[in-house]
Amino acid sequence: METLSWPPFLGISRRDHASADRKGNLDMQNIVILAGNVGATPEARTTQGGAKITHFSFATSRPKRDSDGKVIKDRDGYRVEDTEWHRITCFNGVGKTVEEYVDKGMKVMVRGRIHYTSWTDQDDIKRYGTEIIADEVTFLTRAKPADRSGNDMPDDEEIPF
């Protein structure tokens, strides 16, 4: 029986591992995929350089479990959820699409990366923040209608049939 000296949990093949050893490193990745609910209407701004930046709050939930791993239920028999809130940041094209089509309460999937920041506030206290920089936002429920101002198409109420 062959002894495996490479870490199979990394999801790389033996051949990839040998190649990485010759290069002296493995490619590192920062990938996040979240599916949940938009917590507030996205807020967009444009930088002086013309880049579009859109932020929104995002909630993910999972069942709360006891020390034995069993799902905890309330007195009415409904499972208790642990909800975590995330700050999502989108740039340029993704930001424009999110601003136009995403609204509070929608279910979306966000694919991106974790970004950590630190700063000193006005009281000279060191602060830290975490956000998800979105590369993709996929709609899991129907998007809000786009703003059609200036469009000559009639509204549904104006269609005579």
Side-chain angles (χ1 to χ4, degrees), residues 11-152:
I12 60 174
S13 71
R14 189 177 188 96
R15 184 189 64 198
D16 291 338
H17 182 68
S19 175
D21 280 346
R22 282 192 299 275
K23 293 178 191 173
N25 67 347
L26 292 173
D27 289 336
M28 301 296 181
Q29 296 187 20
N30 176 353
I31 299 172
V32 175
I33 300 173
L34 300 170
N37 296 306
V38 176
T41 300
E43 297 177 12
R45 66 182 176 89
T46 304
T47 66
Q48 290 179 345
K52 170 80 79 178
I53 303 174
T54 304
H55 297 282
F56 63 95
S57 62
F58 188 71
T60 56
S61 297
R62 60 186 175 86
K64 194 171 197 171
R65 299 183 181 272
D66 64 15
S67 59
D68 294 327
K70 294 181 184 174
V71 174
I72 298 173
K73 296 190 177 184
D74 64 15
R75 66 179 95 166
D76 296 324
Y78 295 103
R79 71 181 187 185
V80 177
E81 299 276 321
D82 262 337
T83 300
E84 294 190 55
W85 288 92
H86 313 274
R87 177 179 172 88
I88 309 296
T89 302
C90 310
F91 292 96
N92 299 316
V94 174
K96 183 178 178 184
T97 300
V98 164
E99 177 189 20
E100 191 169 346
Y101 295 106
V102 173
D103 206 1
K104 178 180 178 176
M106 284 181 61
K107 291 186 184 309
V108 299
M109 182 172 63
V110 175
R111 182 184 174 282
R113 63 185 173 87
I114 300 173
H115 179 71
Y116 300 98
T117 56
S118 65
W119 68 96
T120 303
D121 70 9
Q122 62 191 16
D123 298 324
D124 206 33
I125 298 172
K126 186 90 171 184
R127 302 286 183 178
Y128 300 91
T130 305
E131 63 187 336
I132 305 300
I133 306 297
D135 294 323
E136 298 174 14
V137 175
T138 304
F139 303 149
L140 302 177
T141 57
R142 185 179 293 280
K144 75 176 184 181
D147 179 16
R148 302 280 186 209
S149 57
N151 190 346
D152 292 335

